[in-house]
Amino acid sequence: MDLRSVCVYCGSNAGSRPLYAERAAALGTRLAREGLAVVYGGGNVGLMGIVADAALAAGGKVIGVIPEQLVNWEVAHRGVTRLEIVANMHERKARMFDLSGAFVALPGGFGTMDEMFEMLTWRQLGLGDKPCAFLDVDGFYAPLVSMMDRMVAERFLHAEQRNDLWHGEDIDAMIGWMRAYVPAQADKWLDGKRRRELR
Ligand code: AMP
Protein backbone atom coordinates (compact mmCIF):
# COMPACT_ATOMS: atom_id res chain seq x y z
CA MET A 1 0.00 0.00 0.00
CA ASP A 2 1.01 3.61 -0.50
CA LEU A 3 1.70 4.54 3.10
CA ARG A 4 2.05 8.26 3.83
CA SER A 5 1.08 8.70 7.46
CA VAL A 6 1.05 6.65 10.62
CA CYS A 7 -1.14 7.32 13.62
CA VAL A 8 0.63 6.83 16.94
CA TYR A 9 -1.38 6.06 20.06
CA CYS A 10 0.62 6.16 23.26
CA GLY A 11 0.66 7.16 26.90
CA SER A 12 -0.04 10.69 28.03
CA ASN A 13 2.40 9.67 30.75
CA ALA A 14 5.99 8.67 30.05
CA GLY A 15 5.94 5.44 32.09
CA SER A 16 8.22 4.29 34.86
CA ARG A 17 11.37 3.50 32.91
CA PRO A 18 13.56 5.59 30.58
CA LEU A 19 13.30 2.82 27.98
CA TYR A 20 9.72 3.85 27.17
CA ALA A 21 10.80 7.38 26.30
CA GLU A 22 13.77 6.07 24.31
CA ARG A 23 11.60 3.83 22.17
CA ALA A 24 8.99 6.56 21.67
CA ALA A 25 11.71 8.91 20.44
CA ALA A 26 13.14 6.20 18.19
CA LEU A 27 9.71 5.68 16.61
CA GLY A 28 9.20 9.41 15.99
CA THR A 29 12.65 9.73 14.42
CA ARG A 30 12.20 6.62 12.26
CA LEU A 31 8.80 7.67 10.93
CA ALA A 32 10.20 11.09 9.99
CA ARG A 33 13.18 9.54 8.21
CA GLU A 34 10.83 7.26 6.30
CA GLY A 35 8.97 10.35 5.09
CA LEU A 36 5.87 9.25 7.00
CA ALA A 37 3.75 11.93 8.67
CA VAL A 38 2.93 11.31 12.32
CA VAL A 39 -0.74 11.69 13.26
CA TYR A 40 -1.33 11.72 17.00
CA GLY A 41 -3.45 13.10 19.82
CA GLY A 42 -1.82 16.54 19.76
CA GLY A 43 -0.55 16.52 23.34
CA ASN A 44 2.73 17.83 24.68
CA VAL A 45 2.75 15.38 27.56
CA GLY A 46 4.19 11.91 28.19
CA LEU A 47 5.18 9.60 25.36
CA MET A 48 2.91 11.63 23.05
CA GLY A 49 5.07 14.72 23.37
CA ILE A 50 8.23 12.66 23.01
CA VAL A 51 7.12 11.04 19.74
CA ALA A 52 6.08 14.41 18.31
CA ASP A 53 9.27 16.20 19.35
CA ALA A 54 11.49 13.45 17.95
CA ALA A 55 9.67 13.43 14.60
CA LEU A 56 9.86 17.24 14.37
CA ALA A 57 13.56 17.24 15.28
CA ALA A 58 14.19 14.75 12.46
CA GLY A 59 12.43 17.06 9.99
CA GLY A 60 9.15 15.14 9.91
CA LYS A 61 5.56 16.30 9.55
CA VAL A 62 3.43 15.99 12.68
CA ILE A 63 -0.34 16.46 12.75
CA GLY A 64 -2.00 16.70 16.15
CA VAL A 65 -5.76 16.22 16.54
CA ILE A 66 -6.96 17.38 19.92
CA PRO A 67 -10.38 18.01 21.48
CA GLU A 68 -11.16 21.52 22.78
CA GLN A 69 -11.35 20.31 26.36
CA LEU A 70 -7.71 19.18 26.31
CA VAL A 71 -6.63 22.46 24.72
CA ASN A 72 -8.27 24.21 27.68
CA TRP A 73 -6.22 22.01 29.99
CA GLU A 74 -3.17 23.40 28.22
CA VAL A 75 -1.78 20.06 27.15
CA ALA A 76 -1.80 20.88 23.41
CA HIS A 77 1.56 20.81 21.62
CA ARG A 78 1.94 24.24 19.98
CA GLY A 79 5.00 23.36 17.91
CA VAL A 80 3.55 20.69 15.63
CA THR A 81 3.26 21.11 11.87
CA ARG A 82 -0.54 21.30 12.14
CA LEU A 83 -2.80 21.25 15.18
CA GLU A 84 -6.43 20.42 14.48
CA ILE A 85 -8.81 21.31 17.29
CA VAL A 86 -12.00 19.25 17.25
CA ALA A 87 -15.15 19.39 19.36
CA ASN A 88 -14.88 16.09 21.19
CA MET A 89 -13.25 12.65 21.44
CA HIS A 90 -15.59 11.09 18.86
CA GLU A 91 -14.64 13.67 16.26
CA ARG A 92 -11.01 13.24 17.12
CA LYS A 93 -11.08 9.48 16.54
CA ALA A 94 -12.84 9.86 13.21
CA ARG A 95 -10.42 12.55 12.08
CA MET A 96 -7.36 10.55 13.13
CA PHE A 97 -8.74 7.58 11.22
CA ASP A 98 -9.24 9.65 8.06
CA LEU A 99 -5.76 11.16 8.22
CA SER A 100 -3.87 7.91 8.84
CA GLY A 101 -2.75 5.00 6.70
CA ALA A 102 -1.79 2.78 9.62
CA PHE A 103 -2.01 2.68 13.42
CA VAL A 104 0.58 1.86 16.03
CA ALA A 105 0.24 1.62 19.79
CA LEU A 106 3.23 2.27 21.99
CA PRO A 107 2.81 1.52 25.70
CA GLY A 108 0.06 3.54 27.34
CA GLY A 109 -3.01 3.34 29.54
CA PHE A 110 -6.78 3.35 29.04
CA GLY A 111 -6.70 6.05 26.34
CA THR A 112 -4.20 4.13 24.24
CA MET A 113 -6.13 0.86 24.60
CA ASP A 114 -9.43 2.54 23.79
CA GLU A 115 -8.10 4.11 20.60
CA MET A 116 -6.32 0.99 19.36
CA PHE A 117 -9.16 -1.40 20.12
CA GLU A 118 -11.62 0.89 18.42
CA MET A 119 -9.54 0.64 15.24
CA LEU A 120 -9.39 -3.16 15.57
CA THR A 121 -13.15 -3.27 16.14
CA TRP A 122 -13.90 -1.09 13.11
CA ARG A 123 -11.66 -3.29 11.04
CA GLN A 124 -13.32 -6.54 12.03
CA LEU A 125 -16.68 -5.00 11.16
CA GLY A 126 -15.38 -4.02 7.74
CA LEU A 127 -15.46 -0.27 8.55
CA GLY A 128 -11.72 0.08 8.16
CA ASP A 129 -8.95 -1.89 6.52
CA LYS A 130 -5.80 -0.23 7.78
CA PRO A 131 -2.89 -2.05 9.45
CA CYS A 132 -2.75 -2.02 13.27
CA ALA A 133 0.45 -2.76 15.19
CA PHE A 134 1.44 -3.03 18.83
CA LEU A 135 5.01 -1.79 19.07
CA ASP A 136 6.17 -3.49 22.20
CA VAL A 137 8.80 -2.26 24.65
CA ASP A 138 10.39 -4.93 26.80
CA GLY A 139 7.34 -7.21 26.77
CA PHE A 140 4.85 -4.56 27.97
CA TYR A 141 2.20 -5.93 25.60
CA ALA A 142 2.86 -9.65 26.18
CA PRO A 143 -0.02 -10.05 28.70
CA LEU A 144 -2.41 -8.29 26.30
CA VAL A 145 -1.38 -10.56 23.44
CA SER A 146 -1.89 -13.58 25.74
CA MET A 147 -5.37 -12.23 26.46
CA MET A 148 -6.09 -12.06 22.73
CA ASP A 149 -4.89 -15.66 22.34
CA ARG A 150 -7.24 -16.65 25.10
CA MET A 151 -10.09 -14.85 23.32
CA VAL A 152 -9.32 -17.00 20.27
CA ALA A 153 -9.00 -20.22 22.31
CA GLU A 154 -12.32 -19.50 24.06
CA ARG A 155 -13.97 -18.65 20.73
CA PHE A 156 -14.69 -14.99 21.33
CA LEU A 157 -12.34 -13.81 18.59
CA HIS A 158 -11.62 -15.28 15.21
CA ALA A 159 -8.00 -16.32 14.64
CA GLU A 160 -7.98 -14.41 11.34
CA GLN A 161 -8.64 -11.17 13.20
CA ARG A 162 -6.10 -11.98 15.90
CA ASN A 163 -3.46 -12.74 13.28
CA ASP A 164 -4.26 -9.61 11.28
CA LEU A 165 -2.35 -7.39 13.71
CA TRP A 166 1.40 -7.00 14.19
CA HIS A 167 3.13 -7.33 17.54
CA GLY A 168 6.85 -6.94 18.10
CA GLU A 169 9.67 -4.62 19.14
CA ASP A 170 11.48 -3.96 15.85
CA ILE A 171 10.44 -0.64 14.29
CA ASP A 172 11.87 -1.44 10.84
CA ALA A 173 10.06 -4.79 10.75
CA MET A 174 6.84 -3.04 11.73
CA ILE A 175 7.11 -0.41 8.99
CA GLY A 176 7.94 -3.14 6.45
CA TRP A 177 4.84 -5.06 7.54
CA MET A 178 2.67 -1.94 7.26
CA ARG A 179 3.89 -1.19 3.75
CA ALA A 180 3.21 -4.75 2.61
CA TYR A 181 -0.13 -5.09 4.42
CA VAL A 182 -3.05 -6.70 2.63
CA PRO A 183 -6.23 -6.58 4.74
CA ALA A 184 -8.00 -9.79 5.74
CA GLN A 185 -11.40 -10.04 4.10
CA ALA A 186 -14.03 -8.61 6.41
CA ASP A 187 -16.78 -10.38 4.47
CA LYS A 188 -15.29 -13.73 5.49
CA TRP A 189 -15.56 -12.58 9.07
CA LEU A 190 -19.13 -11.46 8.73
CA ASP A 191 -20.59 -14.39 6.85
CA GLY A 192 -23.10 -16.55 8.64
CA LYS A 193 -20.83 -19.54 9.02
CA ARG A 194 -18.16 -17.61 10.88
CA ARG A 195 -20.75 -16.03 13.12
CA ARG A 196 -22.10 -19.47 14.00
CA GLU A 197 -18.57 -20.70 14.71
CA LEU A 198 -18.23 -18.12 17.44
CA ARG A 199 -21.47 -19.03 19.15
P1 AMP B 1 -3.48 7.13 28.07
O1 AMP B 1 -2.93 5.89 27.40
O2 AMP B 1 -4.61 6.83 29.00
O3 AMP B 1 -2.40 7.99 28.70
O4 AMP B 1 -4.13 8.00 26.91
C1 AMP B 1 -3.35 8.36 25.84
C2 AMP B 1 -4.18 8.47 24.61
O5 AMP B 1 -5.40 9.15 24.90
C3 AMP B 1 -3.42 9.29 23.58
O6 AMP B 1 -3.12 8.51 22.40
C4 AMP B 1 -4.34 10.47 23.32
O7 AMP B 1 -4.94 10.40 22.06
C5 AMP B 1 -5.38 10.47 24.40
N1 AMP B 1 -5.02 11.38 25.52
C6 AMP B 1 -5.08 11.08 26.83
N2 AMP B 1 -4.65 12.09 27.62
C7 AMP B 1 -4.29 13.09 26.79
C8 AMP B 1 -3.77 14.42 26.98
N3 AMP B 1 -3.51 14.91 28.19
N4 AMP B 1 -3.52 15.15 25.87
C9 AMP B 1 -3.79 14.69 24.66
N5 AMP B 1 -4.30 13.46 24.42
C10 AMP B 1 -4.55 12.66 25.45
Side-chain angles (χ1 to χ4, degrees):
M1 69 183 280
D2 180 19
L3 190 62
R4 292 186 194 166
S5 56
V6 174
C7 182
V8 181
Y9 298 132
C10 60
S12 55
N13 293 286
S16 59
R17 285 185 287 153
L19 188 59
Y20 293 120
E22 280 165 31
R23 300 302 292 157
L27 177 64
T29 305
R30 193 81 193 93
L31 292 174
R33 293 205 177 131
E34 286 279 325
L36 295 166
V38 172
V39 177
Y40 87 117
N44 60 11
V45 289
L47 296 188
M48 301 175 72
I50 291 168
V51 172
D53 286 340
L56 291 165
K61 181 175 172 188
V62 178
I63 305 167
V65 184
I66 193 162
E68 255 168 38
Q69 182 199 353
L70 292 180
V71 176
N72 296 338
W73 289 358
E74 295 182 345
V75 292
H77 193 312
R78 294 294 180 175
V80 292
T81 318
R82 192 166 89 229
L83 186 67
E84 296 192 9
I85 300 172
V86 293
N88 53 48
M89 293 298 279
H90 297 294
E91 263 187 39
R92 175 204 241 179
K93 285 179 177 169
R95 185 67 185 139
M96 288 168 94
F97 176 80
D98 289 342
L99 287 170
S100 311
F103 302 90
V104 51
L106 276 168
F110 281 166
T112 303
M113 298 305 108
D114 168 59
E115 292 169 323
M116 195 62 177
F117 277 97
E118 182 157 53
M119 289 307 105
L120 292 167
T121 306
W122 286 6
R123 207 178 55 179
Q124 83 178 359
L125 296 174
L127 302 173
D129 59 359
K130 300 176 183 178
C132 295
F134 287 88
L135 182 60
D136 214 342
V137 177
D138 202 18
F140 177 84
Y141 276 123
L144 188 70
V145 170
S146 295
M147 188 73 237
M148 292 181 203
D149 289 336
R150 180 153 187 188
M151 290 173 190
V152 173
E154 309 273 350
R155 301 172 77 80
F156 287 109
L157 172 64
H158 201 281
E160 258 174 32
Q161 294 297 323
R162 155 67 185 87
N163 295 330
D164 200 22
L165 56 86
W166 187 91
H167 167 241
E169 305 213 0
D170 184 329
I171 295 172
D172 288 342
M174 181 191 77
I175 293 173
W177 175 80
M178 285 175 170
R179 290 196 189 280
Y181 179 77
V182 178
Q185 289 299 309
D187 57 354
K188 280 193 204 163
W189 167 251
L190 289 173
D191 72 24
K193 180 172 172 289
R194 301 276 173 177
R195 291 173 92 157
R196 278 197 300 279
E197 273 175 15
L198 284 176
R199 280 195 195 128

